[in-house]
């Protein structure tokens, strides 16, 4: 596979015509050469299942994995204090 300049990846993420395609956005966040700020700004558009897979992907930067984990947990509500409290209340 040929390498792509960071600036090209950044421009693809900013271009509305390209960014409409989920497949393109998904591949951008999985590309280890995509600049981290670009990936972080794009992660909210990624599906939860794909965020969980991205959090396990050792080919992407650590910052990307951490942010993917945070977003996936926030969406699932596992770290939501209200859900934890409700779970303890139901045990009573």
């Amino acid at each position: 596979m040929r390498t792509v300049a960071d600036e090209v990846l950044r421009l693809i993420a900013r271009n509305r015509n390209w960014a409409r395609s989920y497949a393109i956005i998904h591949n951008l966040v999985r590309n280890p050469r995509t600049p981290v700020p670009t990936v972080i700004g794009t992660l909210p558009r990624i599906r939860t299942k794909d965020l969980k897979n991205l959090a396990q992907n050792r080919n992407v930067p650590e910052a990307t994995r951490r942010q993917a984990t945070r977003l996936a947990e926030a969406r699932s509500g596992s770290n939501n204090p209200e859900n934890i409290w409700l779970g303890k209340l139901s045990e009573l």
Side-chain angles (χ1 to χ4, degrees), residues 2-14 28 31-39 61:
R2 295 179 359 200
T3 59
V4 179
D6 297 350
E7 185 61 27
V8 172
L9 296 170
R10 190 177 294 116
L11 290 173
I12 290 171
R14 286 186 190 167
L28 277 175
N31 188 329
R33 302 255 329 185
T34 304
V36 173
T38 302
V39 172

Side-chain angles (χ1 to χ4, degrees), residues 4-85:
V4 179
D6 297 350
E7 185 61 27
V8 172
L9 296 170
R10 190 177 294 116
L11 290 173
I12 290 171
R14 286 186 190 167
N15 185 311
R16 284 186 178 194
N17 291 330
W18 288 100
R20 286 183 187 153
S21 169
Y22 183 80
I24 291 174
I25 294 300
H26 184 238
N27 285 321
L28 277 175
V29 299
R30 291 185 337 178
N31 188 329
R33 302 255 329 185
T34 304
V36 173
T38 302
V39 172
I40 300 299
T42 308
L43 282 178
R45 298 181 54 199
I46 301 299
R47 297 178 187 132
T48 304
K49 179 183 88 171
D50 293 331
L51 283 173
K52 290 178 182 179
N53 290 335
L54 187 62
Q56 303 293 322
N57 187 344
R58 294 271 181 196
N59 293 326
V60 297
E62 178 65 25
T64 300
R65 289 197 310 260
R66 276 184 287 168
Q67 187 63 20
T69 301
R70 287 184 193 128
L71 280 172
E73 287 176 354
R75 289 181 186 177
S76 68
S78 62
N79 279 347
N80 188 344
E82 185 175 311
N83 289 345
I84 294 170
W85 184 81

